[in-house]
Amino acid sequence: MSTSELAIKPRLALFDLDHTLLPLDSDHGWGEFSIAIGWCDREEFGRQNDAFFDDYLAGRLNIPDYVRFATAAVVQRGEAAATAAHQRFMDEVIRPAMKPAALALVQQHLDAGDTVVITSATNEFVTRPIAQAFGVHHLLATELVRDGSGWFTGEIAGTPNMREGKVVRMTEWLTQRGLRWEDVEATFYSDSMNDVPLLEKVDHPVATNPDARLRALAEERGWRIVDLFSEAP
């Protein structure tokens, strides 16, 4: 294939969110915020939230169980209260954690004309406003079933956007646009071993703020390694 043929391929820049663009876990952070505003019992909710987070780090998270748990207060409080609380969450937790290096990297791809997609295992309620704050219009997150009123039920809609599910969801996203993987040149930034299936699928895998296991794998395979937050306060 000639250089000119490669040049006309659409370029995709795919980003994991938690610990990749953000130096925190937005899902776990939302849980802590829910405790702080009195929506959840600190001892019981905190214990379960930490246990689920440990399961995620270990790659054994039961996603439907976790999503029901994580969205229970949101479902119960309703759209108006939950949306207002999320705005506070953005102002108090997320925006202060949006570091210049991460914002600049996203903007670099946008300025280059790349199609930027945030692909996160965290549910759409938590992540959609965060993607918008990064200036990213394309979000693949774990989607939620909505009831007759249009509000969330706590159940997952479709394939959870995690591990191999990220490849499935991204393939569906491409198909909806009349594209195949071989039609695009894709870069994917991620910190986690959970994302190895998608890192192996793209043209340019980038281990970003990688955990120890992913750093070792990236070094073994010659993948690019980026530490966005190494100089962050």
Side-chain angles (χ1 to χ4, degrees):
M1 184 175 291
S2 69
T3 302
S4 61
E5 288 175 317
L6 287 172
I8 63 172
K9 280 189 173 185
R11 293 190 306 271
L12 304 181
L14 316 179
F15 289 91
D16 178 48
L17 180 62
D18 300 327
H19 298 292
T20 298
L21 287 179
L22 292 173
L24 52 77
D25 184 281
S26 60
D27 216 354
H28 189 262
W30 170 255
E32 290 297 306
F33 182 77
S34 298
I35 293 170
I37 63 176
W39 280 17
C40 304
D41 175 74
R42 170 163 293 280
E43 182 175 350
E44 180 59 23
F45 184 92
R47 181 187 64 79
Q48 294 185 60
N49 200 32
D50 288 343
F52 277 121
F53 186 52
D54 289 343
D55 285 348
Y56 169 74
L57 293 177
R60 58 172 181 262
L61 181 65
N62 183 306
I63 304 173
D65 284 352
Y66 175 69
V67 170
R68 290 186 203 101
F69 164 79
T71 60
V74 168
V75 171
Q76 180 181 7
R77 297 280 172 166
E79 184 171 5
T83 300
H86 199 294
Q87 290 173 349
R88 281 188 58 194
F89 175 63
M90 290 294 298
D91 291 339
E92 297 175 21
V93 179
I94 297 300
R95 292 187 194 281
M98 294 172 63
K99 303 301 182 184
L103 289 162
L105 180 58
V106 172
Q107 193 60 50
Q108 173 187 323
H109 281 284
L110 291 170
D111 290 345
D114 300 344
T115 298
V116 177
V117 181
I118 288 178
T119 175
S120 174
T122 301
N123 72 75
E124 60 177 304
F125 169 78
V126 172
T127 53
R128 196 164 302 283
I130 302 175
Q132 292 169 352
F134 272 100
V136 176
H137 301 297
H138 300 288
L139 171 69
L140 293 177
T142 295
E143 296 182 357
L144 303 172
V145 174
R146 296 174 185 262
D147 61 21
S149 70
W151 190 233
F152 302 123
T153 68
E155 298 299 321
I156 293 173
T159 302
N161 198 51
M162 185 176 177
R163 296 192 291 263
E164 294 82 0
K166 283 195 175 184
V167 178
V168 173
R169 292 286 307 284
M170 194 65 217
T171 301
E172 292 172 350
W173 187 90
L174 289 169
T175 300
Q176 290 166 4
R177 288 156 179 79
L179 296 169
R180 301 164 299 171
W181 282 103
E182 54 265 37
D183 298 327
V184 299
E185 183 177 354
T187 301
F188 179 40
Y189 297 85
S190 176
D191 71 290
S192 176
M193 285 292 290
N194 284 305
D195 284 339
V196 166
L198 186 53
L199 286 165
E200 291 177 331
K201 187 72 174 176
V202 300
D203 303 284
H204 308 293
V206 184
T208 310
N209 321 314
D211 57 30
R213 290 186 299 160
L214 182 58
R215 186 178 295 273
L217 181 66
E219 290 173 348
E220 175 187 324
R221 297 192 181 182
W223 293 350
R224 182 181 166 205
I225 299 174
V226 171
D227 290 294
L228 287 179
F229 307 132
S230 57
E231 298 178 2

mmCIF file of all heavy atoms in Angstrom, residues 5 12 15-16 38 70 136-137 145-147 149 169 180 233:
data_model
loop_
_atom_site.group_PDB
_atom_site.id
_atom_site.type_symbol
_atom_site.label_atom_id
_atom_site.label_comp_id
_atom_site.label_asym_id
_atom_site.label_seq_id
_atom_site.Cartn_x
_atom_site.Cartn_y
_atom_site.Cartn_z
ATOM 1 N N GLU A 5 -2.123 6.200 -0.212
ATOM 2 C CA GLU A 5 -3.288 5.416 0.183
ATOM 3 C C GLU A 5 -3.441 5.394 1.700
ATOM 4 O O GLU A 5 -4.544 5.474 2.231
ATOM 5 C CB GLU A 5 -3.161 3.990 -0.358
ATOM 6 C CG GLU A 5 -3.366 3.891 -1.864
ATOM 7 C CD GLU A 5 -3.109 2.480 -2.363
ATOM 8 O OE1 GLU A 5 -2.137 1.852 -1.929
ATOM 9 O OE2 GLU A 5 -3.888 2.009 -3.204
ATOM 10 N N LEU A 12 -8.372 7.745 13.841
ATOM 11 C CA LEU A 12 -9.132 7.718 15.085
ATOM 12 C C LEU A 12 -8.171 7.795 16.257
ATOM 13 O O LEU A 12 -7.151 7.101 16.272
ATOM 14 C CB LEU A 12 -9.948 6.430 15.206
ATOM 15 C CG LEU A 12 -10.928 6.077 14.086
ATOM 16 C CD1 LEU A 12 -11.649 4.779 14.441
ATOM 17 C CD2 LEU A 12 -11.922 7.201 13.863
ATOM 18 N N PHE A 15 -9.498 7.040 23.482
ATOM 19 C CA PHE A 15 -8.973 7.262 24.830
ATOM 20 C C PHE A 15 -9.819 6.526 25.858
ATOM 21 O O PHE A 15 -11.048 6.701 25.902
ATOM 22 C CB PHE A 15 -9.015 8.751 25.198
ATOM 23 C CG PHE A 15 -8.036 9.616 24.467
ATOM 24 C CD1 PHE A 15 -8.392 10.234 23.281
ATOM 25 C CD2 PHE A 15 -6.764 9.828 24.974
ATOM 26 C CE1 PHE A 15 -7.498 11.045 22.600
ATOM 27 C CE2 PHE A 15 -5.860 10.640 24.305
ATOM 28 C CZ PHE A 15 -6.220 11.252 23.118
ATOM 29 N N ASP A 16 -9.185 5.715 26.677
ATOM 30 C CA ASP A 16 -9.807 5.324 27.927
ATOM 31 C C ASP A 16 -9.926 6.587 28.778
ATOM 32 O O ASP A 16 -9.265 7.597 28.503
ATOM 33 C CB ASP A 16 -8.940 4.262 28.616
ATOM 34 C CG ASP A 16 -9.495 3.829 29.957
ATOM 35 O OD1 ASP A 16 -10.703 3.531 30.029
ATOM 36 O OD2 ASP A 16 -8.727 3.799 30.932
ATOM 37 N N GLY A 38 -24.647 12.789 51.100
ATOM 38 C CA GLY A 38 -25.659 12.154 51.922
ATOM 39 C C GLY A 38 -26.621 11.246 51.194
ATOM 40 O O GLY A 38 -27.656 10.859 51.764
ATOM 41 N N ALA A 70 -24.005 0.872 41.550
ATOM 42 C CA ALA A 70 -23.471 2.218 41.368
ATOM 43 C C ALA A 70 -24.534 3.229 40.971
ATOM 44 O O ALA A 70 -24.391 4.423 41.254
ATOM 45 C CB ALA A 70 -22.360 2.188 40.314
ATOM 46 N N VAL A 136 -14.918 16.306 23.643
ATOM 47 C CA VAL A 136 -15.060 15.087 22.841
ATOM 48 C C VAL A 136 -16.545 14.778 22.651
ATOM 49 O O VAL A 136 -17.280 14.658 23.629
ATOM 50 C CB VAL A 136 -14.346 13.899 23.514
ATOM 51 C CG1 VAL A 136 -14.583 12.620 22.726
ATOM 52 C CG2 VAL A 136 -12.852 14.188 23.640
ATOM 53 N N HIS A 137 -16.963 14.656 21.399
ATOM 54 C CA HIS A 137 -18.379 14.436 21.090
ATOM 55 C C HIS A 137 -18.739 12.960 20.981
ATOM 56 O O HIS A 137 -19.914 12.604 21.083
ATOM 57 C CB HIS A 137 -18.745 15.147 19.783
ATOM 58 C CG HIS A 137 -18.502 16.628 19.824
ATOM 59 N ND1 HIS A 137 -19.173 17.469 20.682
ATOM 60 C CD2 HIS A 137 -17.637 17.412 19.124
ATOM 61 C CE1 HIS A 137 -18.755 18.711 20.502
ATOM 62 N NE2 HIS A 137 -17.816 18.701 19.564
ATOM 63 N N VAL A 145 -30.297 1.015 30.390
ATOM 64 C CA VAL A 145 -31.695 0.925 29.967
ATOM 65 C C VAL A 145 -32.471 2.103 30.560
ATOM 66 O O VAL A 145 -32.234 2.511 31.701
ATOM 67 C CB VAL A 145 -32.311 -0.409 30.441
ATOM 68 C CG1 VAL A 145 -33.802 -0.457 30.143
ATOM 69 C CG2 VAL A 145 -31.588 -1.588 29.788
ATOM 70 N N ARG A 146 -33.385 2.639 29.785
ATOM 71 C CA ARG A 146 -34.252 3.719 30.253
ATOM 72 C C ARG A 146 -35.685 3.217 30.359
ATOM 73 O O ARG A 146 -36.127 2.386 29.574
ATOM 74 C CB ARG A 146 -34.173 4.921 29.312
ATOM 75 C CG ARG A 146 -32.787 5.567 29.277
ATOM 76 C CD ARG A 146 -32.711 6.666 28.235
ATOM 77 N NE ARG A 146 -31.364 7.205 28.110
ATOM 78 C CZ ARG A 146 -30.938 8.320 28.699
ATOM 79 N NH1 ARG A 146 -31.791 9.011 29.449
ATOM 80 N NH2 ARG A 146 -29.699 8.743 28.538
ATOM 81 N N ASP A 147 -36.415 3.765 31.339
ATOM 82 C CA ASP A 147 -37.812 3.365 31.515
ATOM 83 C C ASP A 147 -38.723 4.210 30.638
ATOM 84 O O ASP A 147 -38.256 4.979 29.788
ATOM 85 C CB ASP A 147 -38.219 3.456 32.996
ATOM 86 C CG ASP A 147 -38.097 4.879 33.557
ATOM 87 O OD1 ASP A 147 -38.086 5.843 32.758
ATOM 88 O OD2 ASP A 147 -38.028 5.025 34.795
ATOM 89 N N SER A 149 -40.332 6.819 31.192
ATOM 90 C CA SER A 149 -40.162 8.264 31.351
ATOM 91 C C SER A 149 -38.853 8.762 30.764
ATOM 92 O O SER A 149 -38.610 9.973 30.726
ATOM 93 C CB SER A 149 -40.219 8.633 32.838
ATOM 94 O OG SER A 149 -39.049 8.163 33.508
ATOM 95 N N ARG A 169 -17.989 -3.001 20.932
ATOM 96 C CA ARG A 169 -18.679 -1.719 20.804
ATOM 97 C C ARG A 169 -18.014 -0.816 19.763
ATOM 98 O O ARG A 169 -18.688 -0.119 19.008
ATOM 99 C CB ARG A 169 -18.729 -1.025 22.164
ATOM 100 C CG ARG A 169 -19.609 -1.714 23.216
ATOM 101 C CD ARG A 169 -21.095 -1.508 22.941
ATOM 102 N NE ARG A 169 -21.404 -0.103 22.791
ATOM 103 C CZ ARG A 169 -21.504 0.778 23.808
ATOM 104 N NH1 ARG A 169 -21.348 0.357 25.060
ATOM 105 N NH2 ARG A 169 -21.784 2.044 23.576
ATOM 106 N N ARG A 180 -14.709 -0.359 8.379
ATOM 107 C CA ARG A 180 -14.130 -1.549 8.995
ATOM 108 C C ARG A 180 -12.816 -1.128 9.657
ATOM 109 O O ARG A 180 -12.299 -0.044 9.390
ATOM 110 C CB ARG A 180 -13.868 -2.624 7.941
ATOM 111 C CG ARG A 180 -15.111 -3.072 7.160
ATOM 112 C CD ARG A 180 -14.707 -3.825 5.905
ATOM 113 N NE ARG A 180 -13.905 -2.968 5.026
ATOM 114 C CZ ARG A 180 -13.265 -3.396 3.955
ATOM 115 N NH1 ARG A 180 -13.295 -4.693 3.628
ATOM 116 N NH2 ARG A 180 -12.552 -2.562 3.209
ATOM 117 N N PRO A 233 0.975 17.812 40.042
ATOM 118 C CA PRO A 233 1.043 17.956 41.493
ATOM 119 C C PRO A 233 0.127 16.958 42.175
ATOM 120 O O PRO A 233 -0.861 16.538 41.616
ATOM 121 C CB PRO A 233 0.579 19.401 41.735
ATOM 122 C CG PRO A 233 -0.220 19.754 40.511
ATOM 123 C CD PRO A 233 0.392 18.988 39.384
#
